PDB file of all heavy atoms in Angstrom:
ATOM      1  N   SER A 796       3.362 -82.165 -42.976  1.00 38.00           N
ATOM      2  CA  SER A 796       2.549 -82.796 -43.671  1.00 38.00           C
ATOM      3  C   SER A 796       1.197 -82.578 -44.142  1.00 38.00           C
ATOM      4  O   SER A 796       0.795 -82.977 -45.103  1.00 38.00           O
ATOM      5  CB  SER A 796       3.006 -84.023 -44.342  1.00 38.00           C
ATOM      6  OG  SER A 796       2.153 -84.509 -45.296  1.00 38.00           O
ATOM      7  N   ARG A 797       0.431 -82.154 -43.603  1.00 36.00           N
ATOM      8  CA  ARG A 797      -0.971 -82.058 -44.044  1.00 36.00           C
ATOM      9  C   ARG A 797      -1.088 -81.526 -45.484  1.00 36.00           C
ATOM     10  O   ARG A 797      -0.452 -80.590 -45.892  1.00 36.00           O
ATOM     11  CB  ARG A 797      -1.696 -81.084 -43.118  1.00 36.00           C
ATOM     12  CG  ARG A 797      -1.677 -81.501 -41.643  1.00 36.00           C
ATOM     13  CD  ARG A 797      -2.647 -80.652 -40.886  1.00 36.00           C
ATOM     14  NE  ARG A 797      -2.700 -81.026 -39.523  1.00 36.00           N
ATOM     15  CZ  ARG A 797      -1.972 -80.472 -38.578  1.00 36.00           C
ATOM     16  NH1 ARG A 797      -1.145 -79.526 -38.876  1.00 36.00           N
ATOM     17  NH2 ARG A 797      -2.063 -80.871 -37.338  1.00 36.00           N
ATOM     18  N   GLU A 798      -1.996 -82.216 -46.176  1.00 36.00           N
ATOM     19  CA  GLU A 798      -2.264 -81.768 -47.561  1.00 36.00           C
ATOM     20  C   GLU A 798      -3.530 -80.916 -47.571  1.00 36.00           C
ATOM     21  O   GLU A 798      -4.559 -81.332 -47.047  1.00 36.00           O
ATOM     22  CB  GLU A 798      -2.440 -82.984 -48.472  1.00 36.00           C
ATOM     23  CG  GLU A 798      -2.705 -82.628 -49.904  1.00 36.00           C
ATOM     24  CD  GLU A 798      -1.470 -82.079 -50.569  1.00 36.00           C
ATOM     25  OE1 GLU A 798      -0.369 -82.234 -50.007  1.00 36.00           O
ATOM     26  OE2 GLU A 798      -1.629 -81.452 -51.608  1.00 36.00           O
ATOM     27  N   GLU A 799      -3.470 -79.753 -48.092  1.00 36.00           N
ATOM     28  CA  GLU A 799      -4.617 -78.837 -48.109  1.00 36.00           C
ATOM     29  C   GLU A 799      -5.761 -79.424 -48.929  1.00 36.00           C
ATOM     30  O   GLU A 799      -5.541 -80.023 -49.987  1.00 36.00           O
ATOM     31  CB  GLU A 799      -4.203 -77.484 -48.722  1.00 36.00           C
ATOM     32  CG  GLU A 799      -3.153 -76.734 -47.909  1.00 36.00           C
ATOM     33  CD  GLU A 799      -3.696 -76.256 -46.588  1.00 36.00           C
ATOM     34  OE1 GLU A 799      -4.916 -75.981 -46.521  1.00 36.00           O
ATOM     35  OE2 GLU A 799      -2.913 -76.161 -45.636  1.00 36.00           O
ATOM     36  N   ALA A 800      -6.962 -79.145 -48.523  1.00 37.00           N
ATOM     37  CA  ALA A 800      -8.147 -79.621 -49.261  1.00 37.00           C
ATOM     38  C   ALA A 800      -8.383 -78.722 -50.464  1.00 37.00           C
ATOM     39  O   ALA A 800      -8.061 -77.540 -50.453  1.00 37.00           O
ATOM     40  CB  ALA A 800      -9.378 -79.609 -48.346  1.00 37.00           C
ATOM     41  N   SER A 829      -6.888 -77.085 -41.939  1.00 69.00           N
ATOM     42  CA  SER A 829      -7.723 -77.415 -43.088  1.00 69.00           C
ATOM     43  C   SER A 829      -9.049 -77.974 -42.619  1.00 69.00           C
ATOM     44  O   SER A 829      -9.108 -78.705 -41.629  1.00 69.00           O
ATOM     45  CB  SER A 829      -6.997 -78.434 -43.966  1.00 69.00           C
ATOM     46  OG  SER A 829      -5.777 -77.897 -44.433  1.00 69.00           O
ATOM     47  N   LEU A 848      -9.636 -86.162 -42.126  1.00 95.00           N
ATOM     48  CA  LEU A 848      -8.331 -86.104 -41.478  1.00 95.00           C
ATOM     49  C   LEU A 848      -7.869 -87.532 -41.177  1.00 95.00           C
ATOM     50  O   LEU A 848      -8.407 -88.208 -40.312  1.00 95.00           O
ATOM     51  CB  LEU A 848      -8.402 -85.288 -40.184  1.00 95.00           C
ATOM     52  CG  LEU A 848      -7.078 -85.155 -39.416  1.00 95.00           C
ATOM     53  CD1 LEU A 848      -6.014 -84.467 -40.277  1.00 95.00           C
ATOM     54  CD2 LEU A 848      -7.268 -84.402 -38.103  1.00 95.00           C
ATOM     55  N   GLY A 849      -6.936 -87.997 -41.932  1.00 95.00           N
ATOM     56  CA  GLY A 849      -6.448 -89.356 -41.785  1.00 95.00           C
ATOM     57  C   GLY A 849      -7.187 -90.360 -42.640  1.00 95.00           C
ATOM     58  O   GLY A 849      -6.782 -91.513 -42.733  1.00 95.00           O
ATOM     59  N   PHE A 888       5.487 -94.411 -42.905  1.00 89.00           N
ATOM     60  CA  PHE A 888       6.681 -94.796 -43.660  1.00 89.00           C
ATOM     61  C   PHE A 888       7.539 -93.547 -43.835  1.00 89.00           C
ATOM     62  O   PHE A 888       7.074 -92.424 -43.652  1.00 89.00           O
ATOM     63  CB  PHE A 888       6.309 -95.403 -45.017  1.00 89.00           C
ATOM     64  CG  PHE A 888       5.268 -94.644 -45.772  1.00 89.00           C
ATOM     65  CD1 PHE A 888       5.613 -93.589 -46.608  1.00 89.00           C
ATOM     66  CD2 PHE A 888       3.918 -94.963 -45.630  1.00 89.00           C
ATOM     67  CE1 PHE A 888       4.648 -92.874 -47.291  1.00 89.00           C
ATOM     68  CE2 PHE A 888       2.938 -94.252 -46.316  1.00 89.00           C
ATOM     69  CZ  PHE A 888       3.305 -93.206 -47.143  1.00 89.00           C
ATOM     70  N   ASP A 890      10.065 -90.973 -46.075  1.00 87.00           N
ATOM     71  CA  ASP A 890      10.400 -90.582 -47.435  1.00 87.00           C
ATOM     72  C   ASP A 890      11.906 -90.749 -47.643  1.00 87.00           C
ATOM     73  O   ASP A 890      12.636 -91.159 -46.730  1.00 87.00           O
ATOM     74  CB  ASP A 890       9.935 -89.156 -47.738  1.00 87.00           C
ATOM     75  CG  ASP A 890      10.651 -88.101 -46.894  1.00 87.00           C
ATOM     76  OD1 ASP A 890      11.663 -88.443 -46.232  1.00 87.00           O
ATOM     77  OD2 ASP A 890      10.199 -86.942 -46.902  1.00 87.00           O
ATOM     78  N   ARG A 894      12.288 -88.444 -43.557  1.00 89.00           N
ATOM     79  CA  ARG A 894      11.195 -87.829 -42.793  1.00 89.00           C
ATOM     80  C   ARG A 894      10.000 -88.785 -42.716  1.00 89.00           C
ATOM     81  O   ARG A 894       9.679 -89.460 -43.699  1.00 89.00           O
ATOM     82  CB  ARG A 894      10.778 -86.509 -43.444  1.00 89.00           C
ATOM     83  CG  ARG A 894      11.826 -85.409 -43.316  1.00 89.00           C
ATOM     84  CD  ARG A 894      11.459 -84.187 -44.133  1.00 89.00           C
ATOM     85  NE  ARG A 894      11.397 -84.501 -45.568  1.00 89.00           N
ATOM     86  CZ  ARG A 894      11.238 -83.590 -46.514  1.00 89.00           C
ATOM     87  NH1 ARG A 894      11.106 -82.308 -46.190  1.00 89.00           N
ATOM     88  NH2 ARG A 894      11.200 -83.958 -47.785  1.00 89.00           N
ATOM     89  N   LEU A 895       9.367 -88.818 -41.565  1.00 91.00           N
ATOM     90  CA  LEU A 895       8.245 -89.733 -41.331  1.00 91.00           C
ATOM     91  C   LEU A 895       6.958 -89.172 -41.929  1.00 91.00           C
ATOM     92  O   LEU A 895       6.586 -88.026 -41.678  1.00 91.00           O
ATOM     93  CB  LEU A 895       8.053 -89.966 -39.827  1.00 91.00           C
ATOM     94  CG  LEU A 895       6.997 -91.013 -39.429  1.00 91.00           C
ATOM     95  CD1 LEU A 895       7.424 -92.404 -39.891  1.00 91.00           C
ATOM     96  CD2 LEU A 895       6.775 -91.002 -37.913  1.00 91.00           C
ATOM     97  N   ILE A 896       6.289 -89.987 -42.721  1.00 91.00           N
ATOM     98  CA  ILE A 896       4.978 -89.632 -43.273  1.00 91.00           C
ATOM     99  C   ILE A 896       3.935 -90.485 -42.572  1.00 91.00           C
ATOM    100  O   ILE A 896       4.030 -91.722 -42.567  1.00 91.00           O
ATOM    101  CB  ILE A 896       4.930 -89.890 -44.793  1.00 91.00           C
ATOM    102  CG1 ILE A 896       5.959 -89.013 -45.510  1.00 91.00           C
ATOM    103  CG2 ILE A 896       3.527 -89.634 -45.342  1.00 91.00           C
ATOM    104  CD1 ILE A 896       6.080 -89.297 -46.993  1.00 91.00           C
ATOM    105  N   ARG A 897       2.943 -89.845 -41.986  1.00 94.00           N
ATOM    106  CA  ARG A 897       1.877 -90.559 -41.278  1.00 94.00           C
ATOM    107  C   ARG A 897       0.545 -90.233 -41.942  1.00 94.00           C
ATOM    108  O   ARG A 897       0.171 -89.063 -42.042  1.00 94.00           O
ATOM    109  CB  ARG A 897       1.827 -90.156 -39.799  1.00 94.00           C
ATOM    110  CG  ARG A 897       3.140 -90.335 -39.061  1.00 94.00           C
ATOM    111  CD  ARG A 897       2.964 -90.288 -37.550  1.00 94.00           C
ATOM    112  NE  ARG A 897       2.111 -89.190 -37.111  1.00 94.00           N
ATOM    113  CZ  ARG A 897       1.646 -89.068 -35.872  1.00 94.00           C
ATOM    114  NH1 ARG A 897       1.919 -89.993 -34.972  1.00 94.00           N
ATOM    115  NH2 ARG A 897       0.914 -88.040 -35.544  1.00 94.00           N
ATOM    116  N   THR A 898      -0.169 -91.243 -42.369  1.00 95.00           N
ATOM    117  CA  THR A 898      -1.457 -90.982 -43.023  1.00 95.00           C
ATOM    118  C   THR A 898      -2.460 -90.366 -42.057  1.00 95.00           C
ATOM    119  O   THR A 898      -3.421 -89.724 -42.499  1.00 95.00           O
ATOM    120  CB  THR A 898      -2.038 -92.279 -43.608  1.00 95.00           C
ATOM    121  OG1 THR A 898      -2.272 -93.233 -42.558  1.00 95.00           O
ATOM    122  CG2 THR A 898      -1.087 -92.890 -44.632  1.00 95.00           C
ATOM    123  N   LYS A 899      -2.281 -90.565 -40.748  1.00 94.00           N
ATOM    124  CA  LYS A 899      -3.179 -89.943 -39.762  1.00 94.00           C
ATOM    125  C   LYS A 899      -3.161 -88.416 -39.876  1.00 94.00           C
ATOM    126  O   LYS A 899      -4.143 -87.751 -39.543  1.00 94.00           O
ATOM    127  CB  LYS A 899      -2.771 -90.329 -38.345  1.00 94.00           C
ATOM    128  CG  LYS A 899      -3.095 -91.738 -37.929  1.00 94.00           C
ATOM    129  CD  LYS A 899      -2.716 -91.949 -36.464  1.00 94.00           C
ATOM    130  CE  LYS A 899      -2.979 -93.361 -36.002  1.00 94.00           C
ATOM    131  NZ  LYS A 899      -2.625 -93.565 -34.578  1.00 94.00           N
ATOM    132  N   ASP A 900      -2.028 -87.866 -40.337  1.00 93.00           N
ATOM    133  CA  ASP A 900      -1.872 -86.412 -40.399  1.00 93.00           C
ATOM    134  C   ASP A 900      -2.325 -85.820 -41.728  1.00 93.00           C
ATOM    135  O   ASP A 900      -2.372 -84.585 -41.882  1.00 93.00           O
ATOM    136  CB  ASP A 900      -0.408 -86.034 -40.173  1.00 93.00           C
ATOM    137  CG  ASP A 900       0.083 -86.453 -38.795  1.00 93.00           C
ATOM    138  OD1 ASP A 900      -0.763 -86.550 -37.881  1.00 93.00           O
ATOM    139  OD2 ASP A 900       1.295 -86.693 -38.645  1.00 93.00           O
ATOM    140  N   LEU A 901      -2.625 -86.656 -42.715  1.00 95.00           N
ATOM    141  CA  LEU A 901      -2.948 -86.165 -44.041  1.00 95.00           C
ATOM    142  C   LEU A 901      -4.447 -85.887 -44.181  1.00 95.00           C
ATOM    143  O   LEU A 901      -5.265 -86.581 -43.587  1.00 95.00           O
ATOM    144  CB  LEU A 901      -2.516 -87.191 -45.097  1.00 95.00           C
ATOM    145  CG  LEU A 901      -1.035 -87.603 -45.089  1.00 95.00           C
ATOM    146  CD1 LEU A 901      -0.775 -88.653 -46.160  1.00 95.00           C
ATOM    147  CD2 LEU A 901      -0.127 -86.389 -45.283  1.00 95.00           C
ATOM    148  N   ASN A 902      -4.791 -84.894 -44.982  1.00 95.00           N
ATOM    149  CA  ASN A 902      -6.183 -84.590 -45.279  1.00 95.00           C
ATOM    150  C   ASN A 902      -6.583 -85.250 -46.597  1.00 95.00           C
ATOM    151  O   ASN A 902      -5.930 -85.065 -47.626  1.00 95.00           O
ATOM    152  CB  ASN A 902      -6.410 -83.078 -45.373  1.00 95.00           C
ATOM    153  CG  ASN A 902      -6.602 -82.457 -44.004  1.00 95.00           C
ATOM    154  OD1 ASN A 902      -7.610 -82.698 -43.363  1.00 95.00           O
ATOM    155  ND2 ASN A 902      -5.612 -81.679 -43.570  1.00 95.00           N
ATOM    156  N   PHE A 903      -7.673 -86.013 -46.536  1.00 96.00           N
ATOM    157  CA  PHE A 903      -8.166 -86.757 -47.693  1.00 96.00           C
ATOM    158  C   PHE A 903      -9.421 -86.080 -48.246  1.00 96.00           C
ATOM    159  O   PHE A 903     -10.160 -85.430 -47.515  1.00 96.00           O
ATOM    160  CB  PHE A 903      -8.500 -88.197 -47.305  1.00 96.00           C
ATOM    161  CG  PHE A 903      -7.298 -89.069 -47.021  1.00 96.00           C
ATOM    162  CD1 PHE A 903      -6.544 -88.898 -45.869  1.00 96.00           C
ATOM    163  CD2 PHE A 903      -6.931 -90.061 -47.915  1.00 96.00           C
ATOM    164  CE1 PHE A 903      -5.447 -89.707 -45.607  1.00 96.00           C
ATOM    165  CE2 PHE A 903      -5.835 -90.877 -47.667  1.00 96.00           C
ATOM    166  CZ  PHE A 903      -5.096 -90.693 -46.508  1.00 96.00           C
ATOM    167  N   THR A 916      -5.730 -88.553 -51.250  1.00 95.00           N
ATOM    168  CA  THR A 916      -4.842 -87.475 -50.821  1.00 95.00           C
ATOM    169  C   THR A 916      -3.571 -87.509 -51.651  1.00 95.00           C
ATOM    170  O   THR A 916      -3.252 -88.521 -52.305  1.00 95.00           O
ATOM    171  CB  THR A 916      -4.497 -87.592 -49.312  1.00 95.00           C
ATOM    172  OG1 THR A 916      -3.816 -86.400 -48.892  1.00 95.00           O
ATOM    173  CG2 THR A 916      -3.596 -88.795 -49.046  1.00 95.00           C
ATOM    174  N   GLN A 917      -2.844 -86.382 -51.658  1.00 93.00           N
ATOM    175  CA  GLN A 917      -1.557 -86.253 -52.354  1.00 93.00           C
ATOM    176  C   GLN A 917      -0.469 -85.968 -51.324  1.00 93.00           C
ATOM    177  O   GLN A 917      -0.682 -85.193 -50.390  1.00 93.00           O
ATOM    178  CB  GLN A 917      -1.607 -85.108 -53.373  1.00 93.00           C
ATOM    179  CG  GLN A 917      -2.681 -85.231 -54.438  1.00 93.00           C
ATOM    180  CD  GLN A 917      -2.327 -86.253 -55.494  1.00 93.00           C
ATOM    181  OE1 GLN A 917      -1.162 -86.439 -55.826  1.00 93.00           O
ATOM    182  NE2 GLN A 917      -3.343 -86.927 -56.037  1.00 93.00           N
ATOM    183  N   VAL A 918       0.673 -86.618 -51.503  1.00 91.00           N
ATOM    184  CA  VAL A 918       1.815 -86.346 -50.633  1.00 91.00           C
ATOM    185  C   VAL A 918       3.085 -86.391 -51.471  1.00 91.00           C
ATOM    186  O   VAL A 918       3.410 -87.423 -52.073  1.00 91.00           O
ATOM    187  CB  VAL A 918       1.887 -87.346 -49.447  1.00 91.00           C
ATOM    188  CG1 VAL A 918       1.904 -88.787 -49.911  1.00 91.00           C
ATOM    189  CG2 VAL A 918       3.087 -87.046 -48.555  1.00 91.00           C
ATOM    190  N   GLN A 919       3.724 -85.230 -51.605  1.00 90.00           N
ATOM    191  CA  GLN A 919       4.969 -85.097 -52.367  1.00 90.00           C
ATOM    192  C   GLN A 919       4.818 -85.643 -53.798  1.00 90.00           C
ATOM    193  O   GLN A 919       5.702 -86.313 -54.330  1.00 90.00           O
ATOM    194  CB  GLN A 919       6.129 -85.811 -51.653  1.00 90.00           C
ATOM    195  CG  GLN A 919       6.432 -85.226 -50.279  1.00 90.00           C
ATOM    196  CD  GLN A 919       7.620 -85.896 -49.609  1.00 90.00           C
ATOM    197  OE1 GLN A 919       8.496 -86.453 -50.277  1.00 90.00           O
ATOM    198  NE2 GLN A 919       7.664 -85.843 -48.286  1.00 90.00           N
ATOM    199  N   GLY A 920       3.634 -85.432 -54.368  1.00 90.00           N
ATOM    200  CA  GLY A 920       3.392 -85.846 -55.739  1.00 90.00           C
ATOM    201  C   GLY A 920       2.833 -87.243 -55.884  1.00 90.00           C
ATOM    202  O   GLY A 920       2.408 -87.635 -56.977  1.00 90.00           O
ATOM    203  N   ALA A 921       2.838 -88.002 -54.808  1.00 92.00           N
ATOM    204  CA  ALA A 921       2.278 -89.352 -54.846  1.00 92.00           C
ATOM    205  C   ALA A 921       0.812 -89.311 -54.418  1.00 92.00           C
ATOM    206  O   ALA A 921       0.379 -88.423 -53.667  1.00 92.00           O
ATOM    207  CB  ALA A 921       3.054 -90.283 -53.926  1.00 92.00           C
ATOM    208  N   ILE A 923      -2.393 -91.325 -52.610  1.00 95.00           N
ATOM    209  CA  ILE A 923      -2.782 -92.397 -51.696  1.00 95.00           C
ATOM    210  C   ILE A 923      -4.304 -92.439 -51.652  1.00 95.00           C
ATOM    211  O   ILE A 923      -4.959 -91.402 -51.477  1.00 95.00           O
ATOM    212  CB  ILE A 923      -2.233 -92.172 -50.270  1.00 95.00           C
ATOM    213  CG1 ILE A 923      -0.708 -92.102 -50.279  1.00 95.00           C
ATOM    214  CG2 ILE A 923      -2.703 -93.275 -49.329  1.00 95.00           C
ATOM    215  CD1 ILE A 923      -0.094 -91.757 -48.927  1.00 95.00           C
ATOM    216  N   VAL A 947       8.701 -91.478 -53.730  1.00 87.00           N
ATOM    217  CA  VAL A 947       8.757 -90.713 -52.474  1.00 87.00           C
ATOM    218  C   VAL A 947       9.449 -91.500 -51.376  1.00 87.00           C
ATOM    219  O   VAL A 947      10.256 -90.974 -50.612  1.00 87.00           O
ATOM    220  CB  VAL A 947       7.330 -90.327 -52.017  1.00 87.00           C
ATOM    221  CG1 VAL A 947       7.362 -89.625 -50.666  1.00 87.00           C
ATOM    222  CG2 VAL A 947       6.664 -89.457 -53.071  1.00 87.00           C
TER     223      VAL A 947
END
Side-chain angles (χ1 to χ4, degrees):
S796 193
R797 301 192 178 93
E798 180 72 15
E799 296 292 330
S829 299
L848 180 60
F888 46 87
D890 65 12
R894 291 172 298 187
L895 186 66
I896 298 174
R897 305 195 314 169
T898 61
K899 286 184 182 181
D900 298 333
L901 303 178
N902 277 291
F903 289 72
T916 190
Q917 302 285 327
V918 55
Q919 298 183 25
I923 300 175
V947 176

